[in-house]
Amino acid sequence: HSGESGIVYCSTRKTVDALAGELAEALGPSGIRVGRYHAGMGNDARRQSQRAFIDDDIQVMVATNAFGMGIDKPNVRYVIHNNVPESIEAYYQEAGRAGRDGDPASCHLLWNGNDFRMRRFLIDRGDAADEALDDEQRAWALQNRYRLLSQMEGYCNTTGCLREYMLRYFGDEAAAEHAAAGTGGTATDEAEGCGNCSNCLNTFETIDITELANDLIGCILISGMRFGVNVILDTLRGSKNE
């Protein structure tokens, strides 16, 4: 995609600034310009960055989810999520900015456990909108955000067809059944899948971790559930530290 447009989404402004700098340094010698966009920038700077991307003066836009609302750029060839989004709705909307001209486009979701820890931290911290809520409403909003994040975590961890997972999430059972009955996939469940998502194009090895799980739970119970993950792992591994 060296001469084509793409968006890289990050979860925080700090990550946007750091990644945009790294990409600019790495891609600059090849003539690929990199821009950035987040709510911490001034209005003029955001407008200039957005206009440069729309006019194809910038090929790569690194941004938070503040970027993209109202952007009608049909020739975005890829969307990369450098961190896990807050919900499937957010991911669907942001990934949907690729390939609006009908030509092939790709979406890549990069994530690890730290992303979910960061998301839970942001949920617990709340935002300005929560200040207008009473305690009951705030508790309900918190529970709902955790539910949405849990669904996103399920999407990241599933080895089944990603298209089918998303269609079922949005309640399109008929389309989900059609995706599950597709051809050419190698997903691990009984359905063959859509044959186009990364799970359907890869194979997975199933590993029985029952014994390991029993050891972990047993150690946690015997230790009185008073220690963090590092102490439990050190114990099970036979660490010789104090």
Side-chain angles (χ1 to χ4, degrees), residues 127-142 145:
D127 54 35
D130 292 337
E131 296 178 2
L133 305 176
D134 59 33
D135 291 343
E136 184 177 353
Q137 291 172 326
R138 195 175 295 111
W140 183 88
L142 186 73
R145 288 172 190 154

Side-chain angles (χ1 to χ4, degrees), residues 161-163 179-187 192-201:
C161 176
L162 295 173
R163 175 175 170 78
T183 59
T186 53
E192 292 184 335
C194 68
N196 191 51
C197 71
S198 58
N199 281 357
C200 288
L201 296 175

Side-chain angles (χ1 to χ4, degrees), residues 161 163-168 170-182 193-194:
C161 176
R163 175 175 170 78
E164 181 189 356
Y165 186 104
M166 188 168 287
L167 288 168
R168 289 193 187 282
F170 287 114
D172 195 343
E173 293 291 336
E177 291 294 338
H178 179 73
C194 68

